Amino acid sequence: MATSETVGAISASTIQRLYRAFMGARAALGLALLATQSLAGLMGARPTGWTTLISLIYGTQAVLAWILPRWFGGGDVPSKDRAGLSTRQFMVSIGADLVLFTLLQVRDPSGPYGALFFMPALMAGALQPRLRALGCAALPSLVLLSMSGWAVLNEQDGALRISQAGLLGCGLFVVTLLANEIASRLAREERAARGSLEYARQQADLNRLVIEEMEEGVAVVDRRGLVRTANPAARALLAEGASLRSGAFRLDTTPAWKPLLRAIEKAFAGELWPEAGRDLLLDFGRGSQRSLRVRMRFTLRPLDGDDLCVLFLEDNRLLEARNRQEKLAAMGRVSAGIAHEIRNPLTAIAQANALLSEDLAQDPKGEQLTRMVASNVERLKRLVDDVMEVAPGIAPVALTLSAAPLVREYCADWATTQRLPAGEASPLRVEIERDGLLVSFEPEHLRRVLINLLDNGLRHARPGPGALRVQLREDGEWVRLSVFSRAEPIPAEVERHLFEPFFSTRSRGSGLGLYICRELCERYGARIEYHRRDTGPNAEANEFRVLLPRPASPTAALASVPSAGPDSHFPDTELHER
């Protein structure tokens, strides 16, 4: 059963449209009433003056209310807390009908004016809540029954009039209920439509967002070669040097797109396109080319009488890079597993070699062999440690570190391990801009990065004091840690592979040092770069620059790591930009 809120659930725009339609029907009814009065006069039946006047008033009011809706409440919009028509709209339409039709019925009881009450009953049922609509139907029914009762009292054939009034009243209630039920169903359908429309809009927005953010290019093309829509990735892949503007475009307007256009035409003609796609080469001229992996999907049903083709475009360079990364990741996991299994045999070999060296202490040849075994065992251990360092494992936890004392300590420990001379004869110089520079890193990993860079720099540096220099200074949002080595410039063909795993220019090198540095830096949001720098008059050096991130909260607790202290034999020198 419909409730009083049912009609209120219809949107204001729907109520206004129905109201305008009923006002047009009232205008037609008013003109028909005037025409009936005129026709009756021409046929010799002279209506009373009051009947003619009331008919004229009703016809004029109905036509004016339809032609001039603003003057008669047509612009009123129902509020959200009230159902149905506004008060002015009700009085201009339903109220006026009930009053004028009642006057017509009273002035001419024998006339056929009772049927006119169906207009306000129908309008009330469609535009008013159910209780109000039934009240609008009850009022003319009571008028008709009252007039029939008056006729019975005056002995004017009242029985017939009472039956007619009863049937007419029942008809008014039936029409009102049917109109109200239709309006209730309209309200439910409209609510469902609004919900479906909102869901469709959300889905459309979600699909648009997903497609816009996809790294893969997506374009919709018809059989004439018109690209109806394309996401930014597709526009970037199809353009060279400049991005395509939004909107539709044709593939036959650019020579570079002709291979793609021919492939689409053949696919529409029935040529089987592989599920995994094919590679197409777009030639933009002047030696600029781009290889694309193209996959095609077709709409199952025609849209606007035309089939559509959905293109999925990927740059083959990105595909190859992704495949390389996946292979490297897989190789890293396998290597980590193998390295883990190698540790135990290496430990056993080292222990057996130590026992054997004790037995062969007096044999020079045997002692030489045991030293060779020990050296190679240590080399294998370092290789295993390098592999395990970059293997997938527990997520890194960055700490807030004071960089200056750590750099001093790590450099001092490294110099002691390498047995470097102290003082001015040392090939290592440490230059700290100031203490108090905070970075977000893990101390042991920071040590590993710095030691690897120092080992690499010393290996290629020219002999002499100050051949290796470490700098720590501020660099905007970063803290820059640089390792300079006075050495020959790195060739371009070597520079391209500096940070790749297992690439080394030495026969006994593992090729993992710089790769480990890069992997550890990426874990903590740092960056490592290579530059060829001018470090003074007639002096150039290879610089490996590490940009360390600052902590998000400068007040965070510092990691408790002891510094080298005053025993460090590397004097800090004031840093000047060269």
Side-chain angles (χ1 to χ4, degrees):
M1 297 295 291
T3 62
S4 60
E5 287 80 10
T6 303
V7 176
I10 304 178
S11 64
S13 60
T14 303
I15 291 180
Q16 292 302 308
R17 288 197 301 270
L18 291 176
Y19 179 76
R20 288 287 296 160
F22 277 112
M23 295 304 285
R26 288 182 72 249
L29 180 61
L31 294 176
L33 186 59
L34 290 175
T36 301
Q37 297 292 336
S38 301
L39 185 61
L42 293 175
M43 296 179 65
R46 294 185 176 275
T48 62
W50 283 106
T51 302
T52 304
L53 178 60
I54 294 172
S55 300
L56 180 61
I57 292 174
Y58 177 77
T60 304
Q61 188 269 347
V63 171
L64 290 177
W66 178 55
I67 297 176
L68 305 173
R70 293 181 179 274
W71 291 9
F72 292 88
D76 294 350
V77 178
S79 61
K80 293 182 179 179
D81 56 350
R82 177 178 51 79
L85 300 175
S86 66
T87 302
R88 183 165 61 159
Q89 288 175 333
F90 179 83
M91 296 303 297
V92 168
S93 57
I94 299 174
D97 288 356
L98 293 175
V99 172
L100 294 176
F101 294 161
T102 300
L103 290 177
L104 281 175
Q105 188 67 28
V106 170
R107 298 304 302 176
D108 190 1
S110 60
Y113 300 111
L116 297 177
F117 286 110
F118 282 101
M119 173 59 73
L122 182 62
M123 191 172 182
L127 299 179
Q128 291 291 98
R130 174 160 293 187
L131 291 179
R132 297 182 193 176
L134 292 176
C136 294
L139 182 60
S141 299
L142 291 175
V143 170
L144 294 173
L145 289 175
S146 299
M147 294 181 64
S148 299
W150 181 260
V152 171
L153 293 177
N154 292 331
E155 298 180 354
Q156 299 177 356
D157 197 13
L160 179 60
R161 291 190 177 183
I162 287 179
S163 63
Q164 290 177 348
L167 289 175
L168 190 58
C170 291
L172 291 175
F173 277 101
V174 170
V175 169
T176 302
L177 290 173
L178 287 176
N180 193 261
E181 184 62 30
I182 293 174
S184 302
R185 179 163 297 185
L186 174 63
R188 291 193 296 269
E189 294 294 335
E190 187 174 7
R191 285 198 302 270
R194 284 202 298 264
S196 299
L197 180 61
E198 183 62 27
Y199 179 75
R201 287 175 178 172
Q202 291 178 356
Q203 287 297 113
D205 292 340
L206 179 61
N207 293 338
R208 179 186 56 79
L209 180 62
V210 170
I211 293 175
E212 291 289 327
E213 296 297 327
M214 285 178 61
E215 294 183 1
E216 186 178 23
V218 180
V220 180
V221 189
D222 60 19
R223 61 174 63 249
R224 295 181 297 274
L226 175 65
V227 179
R228 297 191 177 185
T229 183
N231 67 345
R235 295 178 183 275
L237 290 174
L238 293 177
E240 181 67 17
S243 59
L244 292 173
R245 293 181 297 178
S246 59
F249 58 92
R250 300 188 64 86
L251 292 177
D252 55 4
T253 58
T254 302
W257 299 337
K258 288 185 178 180
L260 185 60
L261 178 60
R262 287 194 296 267
I264 294 173
E265 291 174 347
K266 292 180 180 179
F268 272 116
E271 180 178 328
L272 184 62
W273 192 264
E275 186 77 13
R278 288 178 181 170
D279 294 339
L280 294 180
L281 184 63
L282 305 185
D283 189 354
F284 295 95
R286 299 180 180 178
S288 177
Q289 294 179 335
R290 178 171 294 160
S291 177
L292 299 180
R293 172 63 59 87
V294 181
R295 293 183 292 120
M296 295 186 186
R297 300 292 184 270
F298 296 88
T299 55
L300 298 178
R301 295 181 179 178
L303 179 63
D304 297 333
D306 192 8
D307 293 330
L308 295 179
C309 174
V310 181
L311 298 178
F312 297 92
L313 310 175
E314 290 184 277
D315 194 336
N316 278 324
R317 292 174 298 180
L318 298 180
L319 285 176
E320 293 173 359
R322 192 181 309 153
N323 291 335
R324 284 197 301 269
Q325 290 296 330
E326 293 176 355
K327 290 179 181 178
L328 286 175
M331 185 174 62
R333 290 190 292 268
V334 173
S335 301
I338 296 175
H340 182 73
E341 295 298 327
I342 290 176
R343 276 182 168 175
N344 292 334
L346 279 180
T347 303
I349 293 173
Q351 293 175 352
N353 186 65
L355 295 175
L356 186 61
S357 63
E358 293 178 0
D359 296 338
L360 301 177
Q362 304 302 324
D363 185 357
K365 291 184 177 180
E367 186 177 358
Q368 182 181 4
L369 291 175
T370 56
R371 282 199 304 269
M372 292 175 59
V373 172
S375 175
N376 283 277
V377 166
E378 289 301 321
R379 182 185 172 207
L380 286 175
K381 283 185 176 181
R382 287 196 300 272
L383 181 60
V384 169
D385 291 339
D386 289 343
V387 172
M388 295 299 294
E389 193 71 54
V390 295
I394 301 175
V397 178
L399 302 176
T400 299
L401 308 176
S402 180
L406 291 178
V407 170
R408 292 191 186 98
E409 177 190 356
Y410 298 158
C411 290
D413 292 345
W414 177 80
T416 302
T417 303
Q418 298 292 331
R419 299 179 182 179
L420 299 181
E424 295 297 328
S426 174
L428 179 62
R429 297 288 186 271
V430 180
E431 302 174 356
I432 308 293
E433 184 180 44
R434 65 177 180 85
D435 290 333
L437 296 177
L438 302 182
V439 299
S440 179
F441 220 84
E442 202 277 330
E444 287 304 317
H445 287 167
L446 180 62
R447 175 196 292 270
R448 189 62 181 273
V449 170
L450 181 56
I451 295 303
N452 281 352
L453 294 179
L454 289 173
D455 287 341
N456 186 72
L458 182 63
R459 188 178 304 116
H460 298 93
R462 301 188 184 97
L468 200 61
R469 195 165 84 253
V470 177
Q471 286 184 353
L472 184 69
R473 58 173 299 170
E474 290 181 295
D475 189 356
E477 299 179 355
W478 306 86
V479 173
R480 185 202 300 177
L481 175 63
S482 298
V483 177
F484 296 89
S485 63
R486 290 203 301 264
E488 296 295 327
I490 297 177
E493 60 273 12
V494 175
E495 183 181 345
R496 288 195 297 268
H497 305 285
L498 275 178
F499 299 100
E500 292 183 4
F502 308 112
F503 176 81
S504 177
T505 57
R506 298 185 302 126
S507 59
R508 296 178 60 84
S510 66
L512 290 174
L514 293 178
Y515 171 70
I516 290 173
C517 292
R518 188 194 68 178
E519 290 296 311
L520 293 178
C521 288
E522 289 181 352
R523 287 186 186 184
Y524 300 97
R527 286 157 43 186
I528 185 169
E529 305 167 349
Y530 164 76
H531 299 277
R532 181 70 177 174
R533 290 287 301 275
D534 181 7
T535 58
N538 300 323
E540 288 187 340
N542 295 323
E543 177 193 8
F544 283 90
R545 178 186 305 171
V546 180
L547 298 178
L548 300 169
R550 296 176 181 267
S553 175
T555 59
L558 300 179
S560 178
V561 180
S563 62
D567 295 335
S568 173
H569 58 281
F570 301 111
D572 291 348
T573 59
E574 186 177 358
L575 198 63
H576 298 282
E577 186 67 28
R578 292 178 174 86

